[in-house]
C-alpha cells in the first residue's frame, strides 16, 4: 500500500515528494526524476510552498532548455 511506503517519511520528506510529483505531472512526465526531487528539496529549505513551486518550475524549465533535464 502507498500509505505504508510513506509511513517512515518525515513531514518534510513527504512535502518534497509531493512537490516533485506536481512538477513531474506539470511537465507531462509519468515519473519523478532526480531533478524534480533535488529542486523540490532545495527550494523547500529556503522558500514558502507557493514560491517553491514557481522557482522549481523555472529551474526545471532551465534544465530542460539546456538539455540537463
Amino acid at each position: 500500500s502507498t500509505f505504508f511506503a510513506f509511513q517512515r517519511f518525515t513531514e518534510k520528506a513527504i512535502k518534497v515528494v509531493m512537490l516533485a510529483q506536481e512538477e513531474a505531472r506539470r511537465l507531462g512526465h509519468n515519473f519523478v526524476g532526480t531533478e524534480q526531487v533535488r529542486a523540490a528539496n532545495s527550494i523547500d529549505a529556503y522558500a514558502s510552498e507557493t514560491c517553491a513551486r514557481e522557482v522549481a518550475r523555472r529551474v526545471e524549465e532551465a534544465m530542460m532548455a539546456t538539455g540537463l533535464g
Side-chain angles (χ1 to χ4, degrees):
S1 161
T2 305
F3 171 76
F4 294 112
F6 290 101
Q7 191 173 20
R8 293 183 173 183
F9 281 34
T10 64
E11 188 174 317
K12 179 182 186 244
I14 293 169
K15 183 178 178 182
V16 167
V17 170
M18 291 174 66
L19 286 169
Q21 288 172 330
E22 287 178 24
E23 290 307 310
R25 280 192 294 271
R26 188 186 66 76
L27 292 168
H29 298 166
N30 60 355
F31 61 92
V32 174
T34 56
E35 310 85 40
Q36 289 94 355
V37 174
R38 283 193 317 241
N41 187 46
S42 297
I43 300 308
D44 184 59
Y46 299 106
S48 70
E49 187 172 323
T50 302
C51 183
R53 287 182 183 153
E54 181 61 29
V55 174
R57 284 186 190 114
R58 291 180 187 207
V59 167
E60 183 66 22
E61 288 168 358
M63 290 176 72
M64 298 286 283
T66 60
L68 297 175

